[in-house]
Amino acid sequence: MSEITVQVPEGEQKQFAGDATVADAIAELLSNKQRKQTVAAGVGDDLVDLSVRLDSLGLETVELRPVTISSDEGLDILRHSTAHLMAKAVLDLYGPDLKVAIGPSIEDGFYYDFDRETPFTPEDFEAIEAKMLETVRGGISFERNVVSKADAIELFEKKGEQYKVELLKEIEADTVSLYQLGDFVDLCRGPHVPNSSWLQVYKLIKVAGAYWRGDERNPMLQRLYGTAFADKKKLKKYLNALEEAKKRDHRKLGKELGLFTISDQVGPGLILWQPKGALLRKLIEDYWKDEHYKNDYELLYTPHIAKLDLWKTSGHLDFYSENMYSSMAIDNVQYQLKPMNCPFHIAIYKSQMRSYREFPIRWCELGTVYRYERTGVLHGLMRVRGFTQDDAHIFCRPDQLEDEIFNILDLNLNILETFGFDQYDVYLSTRPEKYVGSEEHWQKSTDALKQALEKRGLEYQVDPGEGVFYGPKIDIKIKDVLGRSWQCSTIQVDFNLPERFEVSYIGEDGKEHQPIMIHRALMGSLERFIGVLIENYAGAFPLWLAPVQARIMNITDAQSDYCEKVYQELRQSGVRIEKDLRNEKLNYKIREAQLAKIPYMLVIGDREVESDTVTVRERSGKNLPPMSVEDFATKIKDECKVVLG
Ligand SMILES: [Zn+2]
Ligand SMILES: [Zn+2]
């Protein structure tokens, strides 16, 4: 038998017999401490089990990259293996009437889909976790077997596992790998941890409905979510963050604070803004419009529908139709609800001859668009069917591109900072395999984006080939107080639409040229951005954003008239104020105002009436000395000015 040379990074080479395993090689090549941390190995672009025989890799020299349990890859393997562990426990407890579907690792853990008539309950979670622990204590190996596809189909048919059979029938290869954990066999590519004793730290999180393969026409399965970590501390930290996120859930807070509602009668994914939410939105929109005005943008308004032909010219019917709703006939002509605002802005551009002297043209619109999303993925304000983009299109000459991108970035980051977001990840996506426009255009534009990013002093990651087919782009993900990332801003150069719509301008040379078009949205969608704001602030908005800045309350009926007078005065001076003149105990009123997360409470007793003042109580519970109504109004204005300038 020929020997195989194995090497680990920064280690020496050693010879091994062909029937030796990866684990054997690692035992020789790594220190004891390293070996104990190693959960799998990388060979080229593949990950393999430690139990794999060296000769099965088909290489004379194997460069092994140890994958440690604390690495991202290791964590992924750990979580994926825990999904098997959970499925085994579920089958042990509730089989054989239950069918298993699929169980991948996901960003924060893993899930497994089960077809079972009885819904899983929180009590089941405990039983499942306990059953998992039995297997963990047993130290059972994950055993890999490569079998023919036909044999695998027969095996799963015998078990009545129709979902596995369906998956197998779609696999093109002749052989497949099965993994066995005790008596639980699963179709899987692997790799896994060597044995179940690695899977000590896990927790079941929740259960949710999920259609088989995400298709509403298929059976509804139960998706059990769980998470796993390499150590207990990390699990604890994660569970705490989860608890905090639950408290901040924008759907829960949106309801409690009277911000928005969704009605079955109106339709899923369609947001109804309640008065306080509408006011919050108005504040955001006003601020946004003011900032754009200051930055030399002009505001546009465009309709919600357009002739179907417009979307043929724009290419959306060819490339975007799955996100669009059906068309409607008006006077025998087909019209379409808009999924984007761009073609309307182009129509305005084309309403007259344009000259290089007008450039750059910066047009912005809070444009409401409608896009199809499956019912199953709709989620509060975060995934909806109708939303308002804070859209803008810039038309400029190629030599103005870099400055324009810089200006957009600057405005973008200033706006995000005002909302309290100063942590973000920036991505630059370059030319994909399929693209329109010349290579020269791509190169120049990509360079312009890079230079603008560097000039603004932004660190960024390059996503090679991840640009849209019509041009390179910059994406910005903001981080909220819990450290979660949210995709918000996008800045895209477009070589496609100007071409399709024959957009042109008269240059200095008196000839026609094609302008560069930039699409950009800073907040992305108002709906989603407000969802993020609610969760970021846990509903306790900063003063300038709070739909209600103050609530005035009397101690007894004797102060009602005075409260009315103060209420009117403050409203006239622009303070967003509410009144609570109910015949209730003061403590009760204070408690309610706190729950409503109102920044200031104005408490009025006889003393305040006599001295013509208000006593101000902060959201935190701190009391300020009595002040005149005018001073309070000035205080509110000054505090907002600090943020808004
Ligand atoms: Zn697996
Ligand atoms: Zn656009």
Side-chain angles (χ1 to χ4, degrees):
M1 189 185 300
S2 65
E3 298 225 302
I4 294 171
T5 308
V6 182
Q7 183 168 27
V8 290
E10 286 147 36
E12 50 185 299
Q13 291 189 344
K14 271 201 173 167
Q15 309 289 319
F16 291 89
D19 63 353
T21 63
V22 171
D24 294 334
I26 278 176
E28 293 257 337
L29 293 165
L30 295 185
S31 72
N32 227 1
K33 196 177 155 212
Q34 286 174 307
R35 182 180 58 77
K36 280 187 183 152
Q37 288 287 308
T38 305
V39 70
V43 179
D45 289 336
D46 295 325
L47 291 175
V48 298
D49 292 305
L50 295 184
S51 60
V52 154
R53 274 171 60 143
L54 291 173
D55 56 9
S56 74
L57 299 171
L59 299 164
E60 275 172 38
T61 303
V62 178
E63 308 226 353
L64 274 187
R65 181 169 56 82
V67 174
T68 63
I69 193 73
S70 50
S71 67
D72 287 348
E73 282 175 322
L75 185 61
D76 197 57
I77 292 168
L78 175 86
R79 287 172 170 174
H80 169 73
S81 303
T82 312
H84 284 256
L85 175 70
M86 181 177 74
K88 173 177 160 43
V90 168
L91 271 176
D92 285 347
L93 287 167
Y94 311 105
D97 297 340
L98 164 153
K99 307 278 168 253
V100 295
I102 51 162
S105 61
I106 50 174
E107 202 186 331
D108 287 328
F110 60 87
Y111 68 77
Y112 213 111
D113 287 349
F114 300 98
D115 189 351
R116 181 189 181 221
E117 255 175 51
T118 325
F120 288 106
T121 64
E123 291 77 53
D124 291 332
F125 282 24
E126 279 174 35
I128 296 165
E129 283 169 358
K131 199 77 190 165
M132 288 163 78
L133 190 60
E134 285 177 24
T135 310
V136 172
R137 293 204 169 128
I140 299 169
S141 302
F142 274 89
E143 274 172 36
R144 180 175 200 266
N145 288 301
V146 177
V147 300
S148 73
K149 189 172 117 181
D151 284 352
I153 290 177
E154 201 189 316
L155 175 85
F156 285 109
E157 260 172 1
K158 257 191 211 153
K159 289 178 178 285
E161 295 288 8
Q162 75 256 22
Y163 298 107
K164 296 288 176 197
V165 174
E166 191 180 323
L167 292 173
L168 273 162
K169 284 185 174 161
E170 285 167 20
I171 292 176
E172 282 184 13
D174 298 329
T175 60
V176 295
S177 58
L178 303 180
Y179 277 85
Q180 186 133 10
L181 179 66
D183 50 6
F184 173 58
V185 189
D186 206 349
L187 169 69
C188 188
R189 250 183 247 122
H192 298 97
V193 295
N195 67 63
S196 58
S197 63
W198 284 79
L199 312 174
Q200 301 276 351
V201 184
Y202 54 83
K203 181 90 189 148
L204 267 59
I205 303 291
K206 63 174 178 184
V207 59
Y211 292 104
W212 168 236
R213 316 196 108 175
D215 189 332
E216 275 106 295
R217 290 162 297 187
N218 286 337
M220 170 74 94
L221 308 174
Q222 296 188 65
R223 178 166 293 176
L224 270 186
Y225 288 92
T227 192
F229 288 90
D231 71 72
K232 282 209 173 102
K233 260 192 213 151
K234 283 188 181 139
L235 174 67
K236 201 168 166 216
K237 199 173 155 208
Y238 173 76
L239 292 176
N240 284 342
L242 210 60
E243 207 45 51
E244 191 51 42
K246 235 185 236 169
K247 278 188 228 154
R248 289 164 181 260
D249 190 321
H250 73 282
R251 294 168 299 177
K252 177 176 161 274
L253 286 171
K255 194 174 172 177
E256 286 169 12
L257 301 176
L259 299 174
F260 72 95
T261 187
I262 298 167
S263 145
D264 226 16
Q265 200 173 23
V266 172
L270 301 169
I271 303 302
L272 301 161
W273 293 98
Q274 291 168 314
K276 292 202 177 96
L279 185 49
L280 172 63
R281 181 169 160 161
K282 177 200 179 287
L283 293 165
I284 295 172
E285 290 186 357
D286 287 353
Y287 164 69
W288 184 91
K289 285 176 190 167
D290 289 350
E291 285 306 298
H292 279 73
Y293 181 78
K294 287 182 207 161
N295 282 274
D296 272 338
Y297 279 74
E298 293 164 304
L299 193 63
L300 302 181
Y301 288 98
T302 64
H304 288 220
I305 59 170
K307 283 182 182 169
L308 194 62
D309 270 348
L310 180 80
W311 307 104
K312 270 185 199 151
T313 307
S314 70
H316 286 97
L317 268 190
D318 289 331
F319 301 111
Y320 205 70
S321 59
E322 75 239 38
N323 297 92
M324 290 157 69
Y325 293 99
S326 318
S327 58
M328 63 189 111
I330 300 174
D331 294 341
N332 294 323
V333 177
Q334 290 299 311
Y335 280 74
Q336 173 67 47
L337 205 48
K338 70 171 164 182
M340 294 199 188
N341 304 304
C342 340
F344 296 88
H345 291 198
I346 290 176
I348 293 173
Y349 182 99
K350 288 180 64 125
S351 63
Q352 66 190 70
M353 185 75 95
R354 303 286 171 182
S355 143
Y356 72 95
R357 286 193 193 90
E358 294 174 66
F359 281 179
I361 290 175
R362 304 186 186 115
W363 285 340
C364 63
E365 177 181 13
L366 294 166
T368 304
V369 297
Y370 298 87
R371 296 180 190 173
Y372 176 70
E373 296 273 9
R374 284 184 292 109
T375 322
V377 301
L378 296 173
H379 181 83
L381 293 172
M382 303 299 187
R383 281 290 274 277
V384 292
R385 284 181 170 166
F387 59 91
T388 301
Q389 283 184 303
D390 68 316
D391 212 352
H393 293 99
I394 287 118
F395 298 91
C396 65
R397 300 188 310 261
D399 61 286
Q400 293 170 319
L401 182 60
E402 188 187 320
D403 280 346
E404 283 312 299
I405 299 288
F406 178 83
N407 291 339
I408 294 169
L409 280 171
D410 204 45
L411 175 64
N412 197 345
L413 298 183
N414 287 339
I415 286 182
L416 290 177
E417 205 168 316
T418 306
F419 285 105
F421 302 109
D422 53 10
Q423 301 282 319
Y424 25 73
D425 292 320
V426 183
Y427 302 87
L428 171 68
S429 303
T430 59
R431 201 184 70 213
E433 262 173 48
K434 278 189 186 166
Y435 64 94
V436 299
S438 71
E439 227 164 293
E440 191 202 339
H441 270 135
W442 273 89
Q443 193 54 49
K444 277 194 177 151
S445 308
T446 310
D447 287 346
L449 296 188
K450 273 187 192 165
Q451 258 136 35
L453 282 166
E454 270 150 34
K455 194 170 149 201
R456 188 59 172 72
L458 286 173
E459 278 183 33
Y460 60 95
Q461 283 179 42
V462 178
D463 275 344
E466 289 299 309
V468 263
F469 73 91
Y470 53 75
K473 62 167 181 167
I474 293 171
D475 288 317
I476 300 179
K477 284 187 186 174
I478 56 173
K479 285 212 178 108
D480 69 10
V481 285
L482 298 185
R484 297 175 298 177
S485 285
W486 303 94
Q487 162 74 47
C488 280
S489 319
T490 178
I491 305 165
Q492 307 183 342
V493 181
D494 187 344
F495 311 123
N496 183 44
L497 285 185
E499 177 86 42
R500 282 178 164 268
F501 281 97
E502 295 173 351
V503 177
S504 68
Y505 68 95
I506 304 297
E508 223 168 335
D509 54 6
K511 289 184 186 137
E512 272 193 41
H513 299 270
Q514 201 176 81
I516 291 205
M517 183 176 182
I518 307 167
H519 310 255
R520 59 109 269 215
L522 309 183
M523 298 184 275
S525 112
L526 275 175
E527 282 71 9
R528 196 157 169 282
F529 192 72
I530 291 174
V532 175
L533 281 174
I534 296 171
E535 300 206 356
N536 186 61
Y537 287 110
F541 299 109
L543 191 67
W544 76 274
L545 262 183
V548 181
Q549 294 170 315
R551 186 183 279 181
I552 187 164
M553 49 192 78
N554 52 354
I555 297 176
T556 69
D557 282 346
Q559 301 97 32
S560 294
D561 289 348
Y562 179 75
C563 281
E564 279 288 355
K565 183 183 90 105
V566 173
Y567 169 82
Q568 287 301 341
E569 273 175 39
L570 285 172
R571 232 180 143 83
Q572 289 306 316
S573 59
V575 175
R576 299 189 291 276
I577 184 165
E578 274 182 355
K579 55 190 172 186
D580 183 355
L581 307 180
R582 293 173 302 167
N583 188 14
E584 297 282 356
K585 287 221 164 65
L586 182 63
N587 277 347
Y588 178 78
K589 291 185 186 181
I590 289 177
R591 173 96 188 108
E592 283 211 333
Q594 273 167 341
L595 285 176
K597 314 205 178 207
I598 297 168
Y600 290 110
M601 290 164 235
L602 304 182
V603 181
I604 309 298
D606 284 339
R607 197 181 53 174
E608 284 76 15
V609 177
E610 274 156 31
S611 58
D612 204 6
T613 57
V614 293
T615 289
V616 182
R617 192 185 160 92
E618 291 182 347
R619 186 155 50 188
S620 63
K622 190 179 155 203
N623 282 312
L624 305 179
M627 60 180 86
S628 73
V629 176
E630 214 186 305
D631 283 351
F632 179 69
T634 310
K635 174 182 163 62
I636 297 276
K637 276 206 189 95
D638 288 349
E639 279 177 41
C640 292
K641 218 185 259 167
V642 173
V643 185
L644 296 176

